Amino acid sequence: MGMAYKIAINGYGNLGRGTELAIAQAEDLELVGIFTRRDPASVTSATGAPVISLDELPQWAERIDVLANCGGSATDLAEQTPAALAYCNTVDTFDTHPKIPEYFASVDEAARQAGHLGLISVGWDPGLFSIARVYAEAVLPQGESTTFWGRGVSQGHSDAIRRIEGVADAKQYTIPIESAMEAARRGEAGALTTREKHLRECWVVLEEGADADAVREAIVTMPDYFADYDTTVNFISAEELAANHAGMPHGGFVIRSGRTSVENAQTIEYALTLDSNPEFTGSMVAASARAVARMAEAGEVGARTLFDVAPGLLLPQSGEELRAHML
Amino acid sequence: MGMAYKIAINGYGNLGRGTELAIAQAEDLELVGIFTRRDPASVTSATGAPVISLDELPQWAERIDVLANCGGSATDLAEQTPAALAYCNTVDTFDTHPKIPEYFASVDEAARQAGHLGLISVGWDPGLFSIARVYAEAVLPQGESTTFWGRGVSQGHSDAIRRIEGVADAKQYTIPIESAMEAARRGEAGALTTREKHLRECWVVLEEGADADAVREAIVTMPDYFADYDTTVNFISAEELAANHAGMPHGGFVIRSGRTSVENAQTIEYALTLDSNPEFTGSMVAASARAVARMAEAGEVGARTLFDVAPGLLLPQSGEELRAHML
């Protein structure tokens, strides 16, 4: 394989750890270290990779081909990615869909100023699902695409429940409705409402003395998060939550149904079933870091998304090997 | 959308016609004409596009951005694509998997000599299935991929039956076995035999006086085509064949199951359900022609596969529009 690409991780939560595990699976990727805003002495990495204060990034930059920014979209990335691009190439999982154009512009400006490359919004949605939508619409321009999420844990919805008074802890599952998926396969999902496409299932641990009915009412009427869905609320003990709902499974479906002529309907379906959302997303971060290293080697500068990345760049093999074995 | 890319078709069978229909659906693609080795007066195009003798290609070349070579892999493409590259950029559906490296080399040489670009082996397998395999292996390097075909008509197997003495006509369906697909989703398909993954179902019209038992025996024992499969043979009338088996449905599944850690299994599934194989393949040819036109505009020269094509190039929208609406 020759020399390995030198990858670093910035931010060590679930996603940072998932990225670390993925880099360890790849012979052509070397983990230089994990940067953190916390006290490095307080962080122990899963693979024994060195943990370094983010303040030291400038001194490390020359030893890094690509920095994987594994912070959250809500606050971290909008600051961290442009700042890091002054020192090295980056990849991230920015996933606040409506803010992507603005984020892309800011990453593009920082990257061009420094002569670096920044690949944004990798993962599975945005990411592999976005790519599935693009290929599907390219081959079936006359049609409709529908995305379903789940069955899986929504971190944002779980957090929203936890902020309700009287809630000690909670996990929320998003569940696609089978009849809606069948309609999408027939090209008849366009008229479906939000309520007809997904269910929301909540597992809630109450604080002592909390009013269960009030908590349930607060959940099911919460605008944006739950009010538009059929939502079930189950109260359980902290022990049950830990025993049965500790994982972070997720997944979903991108379905496009279209017509290539009056006579002929065609359906494309892309599905993910994931035991661990952060590990899968981290694996996509690692593969994308490889592509960034190669594109930067070829002289590319600025911001990119996976729409700009030729698929062969994501795998370690040469083009010749891919043509012989994967085509 | 501005100026349209000028596409021409070479070869007017089912695939050429499917490509013609797809170009008619695209506002940014213009069909210049259909080239044929036959007498142009004997060919009537579906959309009224001009039909031109292939001998006249050199005089037309300056008016063509991309020529879609819609001939067969067995004999036509190995000659036609390198020859056409002397005059213009090309796209084709070369699908003889073991010969792809040799074909790529010959297309690459012809393309570089003339300063043109040739994209080979587009469609769905090779094509969209190949891309699905690449993305899946990139994100799950520790795992196994299994491809299933069908339920669908295999042209090659239908032809093989038609060559048997006593057979007037035939249609062969390839059918994936559900239990094998379930094993693939669990990551346990590696040990499955050919016989355990697909069934073959044959619908045969006998010539008058033909020996049905001899025909059945000739089919089920045919090496490479049928001997390794559980094959059912049904004898029907020419009228029944025409009424119930006139279409060209196909499809299939690429399933990859892998592990990102000891604890966590992850599964990716890409599925196609197609009423018309040639129309779907033709749609992919048309989208790929758009990508070729753009890559050639950017100065690219030589042979390429879809592994080298950034997905965003396949859609008419700008990168900015794709980021805002598809990511």
Side-chain angles (χ1 to χ4, degrees):
Chain A
M1 207 66 79
M3 294 240 297
Y5 293 117
K6 294 174 176 59
I7 315 298
I9 291 170
N10 180 20
Y12 198 65
N14 289 323
L15 177 61
R17 188 174 173 281
T19 303
E20 180 189 14
L21 295 178
I23 292 170
Q25 284 193 352
E27 282 180 30
D28 67 329
L29 302 180
E30 177 193 330
L31 181 55
V32 175
I34 294 164
F35 291 88
T36 178
R37 284 173 302 193
R38 292 179 273 169
D39 172 9
S42 73
V43 176
T44 306
S45 65
T47 63
V51 181
I52 308 156
S53 168
L54 183 56
D55 297 337
E56 293 180 36
L57 179 62
Q59 298 94 284
W60 281 78
E62 294 227 336
R63 281 167 277 180
I64 299 170
D65 291 321
V66 184
L67 180 70
N69 275 320
C70 294
S73 297
T75 52
D76 301 345
L77 292 175
E79 273 181 33
Q80 288 191 346
T81 303
L85 277 161
Y87 304 107
C88 50
N89 306 303
T90 62
V91 60
D92 68 63
T93 62
F94 189 85
D95 65 358
T96 311
H97 290 256
K99 290 193 177 162
I100 285 174
E102 181 190 330
Y103 181 69
F104 182 91
S106 122
V107 169
D108 194 51
E109 194 190 340
R112 289 185 191 281
Q113 275 183 9
H116 286 134
L117 185 66
L119 177 61
I120 71 162
S121 302
V122 312
W124 60 274
D125 196 3
L128 291 168
F129 271 17
S130 320
I131 293 166
R133 287 188 280 263
V134 161
Y135 282 114
E137 184 167 323
V139 71
L140 296 177
Q142 310 286 333
E144 73 177 32
S145 297
T146 316
T147 302
F148 295 91
W149 295 273
R151 172 185 175 103
V153 172
S154 164
Q155 215 53 51
H157 287 76
S158 300
D159 290 344
I161 300 173
R162 286 191 206 104
R163 285 192 294 265
I164 295 171
E165 204 182 311
V167 171
D169 204 352
K171 225 46 183 289
Q172 193 271 175
Y173 295 88
T174 304
I175 303 170
I177 297 175
E178 184 60 39
S179 60
M181 289 174 53
E182 283 300 329
R185 291 179 186 120
R186 295 191 307 267
E188 295 167 5
L192 293 176
T193 62
T194 296
R195 189 178 301 275
E196 289 169 319
K197 286 193 278 192
H198 295 91
L199 298 173
R200 297 202 176 276
E201 184 184 279
C202 311
W203 299 86
V204 179
V205 180
L206 292 174
E207 284 176 350
E208 206 159 312
D211 178 344
D213 286 344
V215 167
R216 185 192 307 273
E217 186 66 14
I219 294 173
V220 302
T221 61
M222 196 186 296
D224 299 333
Y225 285 85
F226 295 101
D228 297 335
Y229 298 86
D230 288 338
T231 301
T232 58
V233 180
N234 307 281
F235 296 105
I236 55 174
S237 69
E239 292 70 33
E240 285 173 295
L241 192 79
N244 303 326
H245 304 282
M248 281 171 284
H250 219 314
F253 304 80
V254 174
I255 298 172
R256 187 171 184 88
S257 181
R259 287 192 172 271
T260 48
S261 65
V262 177
E263 298 83 18
N264 292 314
Q266 321 267 21
T267 305
I268 301 172
E269 183 162 337
Y270 184 76
L272 298 176
T273 309
L274 311 177
D275 276 357
S276 166
N277 184 356
E279 286 184 12
F280 188 79
T281 305
S283 284
M284 194 59 194
V285 170
S288 301
R290 172 184 296 123
V292 171
R294 288 171 164 171
M295 293 163 76
E297 268 183 348
E300 292 198 41
V301 163
R304 297 288 188 280
T305 73
L306 286 170
F307 297 156
D308 308 305
V309 177
L313 295 174
L314 295 165
L315 276 176
Q317 294 93 315
S318 69
E320 197 174 352
E321 290 170 305
L322 294 181
R323 286 190 296 274
H325 303 295
M326 308 281 289
L327 205 58
Chain B
M1 207 66 79
M3 294 240 297
Y5 294 116
K6 294 174 176 60
I7 316 298
I9 291 170
N10 180 19
Y12 198 65
N14 289 322
L15 177 60
R17 188 173 174 281
T19 304
E20 179 188 13
L21 295 177
I23 292 171
Q25 285 193 351
E27 282 180 29
D28 67 330
L29 302 180
E30 177 193 329
L31 181 56
V32 175
I34 295 163
F35 290 88
T36 178
R37 285 173 301 191
R38 291 179 273 168
D39 172 9
S42 73
V43 177
T44 306
S45 66
T47 64
V51 181
I52 308 157
S53 168
L54 183 55
D55 298 336
E56 293 179 36
L57 179 62
Q59 299 93 285
W60 281 78
E62 294 228 334
R63 281 167 277 181
I64 299 169
D65 291 320
V66 184
L67 180 70
N69 274 320
C70 294
S73 298
T75 52
D76 301 346
L77 292 175
E79 273 181 35
Q80 288 191 345
T81 302
L85 277 161
Y87 305 106
C88 50
N89 307 302
T90 62
V91 60
D92 69 62
T93 62
F94 188 85
D95 65 358
T96 312
H97 291 257
K99 292 193 177 163
I100 285 174
E102 179 191 332
Y103 182 69
F104 181 91
S106 123
V107 169
D108 194 51
E109 193 191 339
R112 288 185 192 280
Q113 275 184 9
H116 286 135
L117 185 65
L119 177 61
I120 71 162
S121 302
V122 314
W124 60 274
D125 195 3
L128 291 167
F129 271 17
S130 320
I131 293 167
R133 287 188 280 263
V134 161
Y135 282 115
E137 184 168 323
V139 70
L140 296 177
Q142 309 287 333
E144 73 177 33
S145 297
T146 316
T147 302
F148 295 91
W149 294 273
R151 175 185 175 100
V153 171
S154 165
Q155 215 54 49
H157 288 75
S158 300
D159 289 344
I161 300 173
R162 285 190 206 105
R163 285 192 295 264
I164 294 172
E165 204 183 310
V167 171
D169 203 353
K171 227 41 183 293
Q172 193 271 177
Y173 295 88
T174 303
I175 304 170
I177 297 175
E178 183 61 38
S179 59
M181 290 173 52
E182 284 301 328
R185 291 179 185 120
R186 294 191 307 269
E188 296 167 6
L192 294 176
T193 62
T194 297
R195 189 179 301 274
E196 288 169 321
K197 287 194 277 192
H198 295 91
L199 298 172
R200 297 203 176 276
E201 184 184 280
C202 310
W203 300 85
V204 179
V205 180
L206 291 174
E207 285 176 349
E208 205 156 317
D211 178 344
D213 286 344
V215 167
R216 186 192 307 275
E217 186 65 14
I219 294 173
V220 302
T221 61
M222 196 186 296
D224 300 333
Y225 285 85
F226 294 101
D228 297 335
Y229 299 85
D230 287 339
T231 301
T232 58
V233 180
N234 308 280
F235 295 104
I236 56 175
S237 69
E239 293 69 34
E240 284 173 295
L241 193 79
N244 303 326
H245 303 282
M248 280 170 285
H250 219 313
F253 304 80
V254 174
I255 298 173
R256 187 171 183 87
S257 181
R259 287 192 171 271
T260 47
S261 64
V262 177
E263 298 84 18
N264 291 313
Q266 321 267 20
T267 305
I268 302 172
E269 184 163 337
Y270 184 76
L272 299 177
T273 310
L274 311 177
D275 276 356
S276 166
N277 184 356
E279 286 185 12
F280 188 79
T281 305
S283 285
M284 194 60 193
V285 170
S288 301
R290 173 185 295 122
V292 171
R294 287 171 164 171
M295 292 163 76
E297 269 183 347
E300 292 198 42
V301 163
R304 297 287 187 281
T305 73
L306 287 170
F307 297 155
D308 308 305
V309 177
L313 295 174
L314 295 166
L315 276 176
Q317 294 92 314
S318 69
E320 195 174 352
E321 290 171 306
L322 293 182
R323 287 190 296 274
H325 303 295
M326 308 280 289
L327 204 59

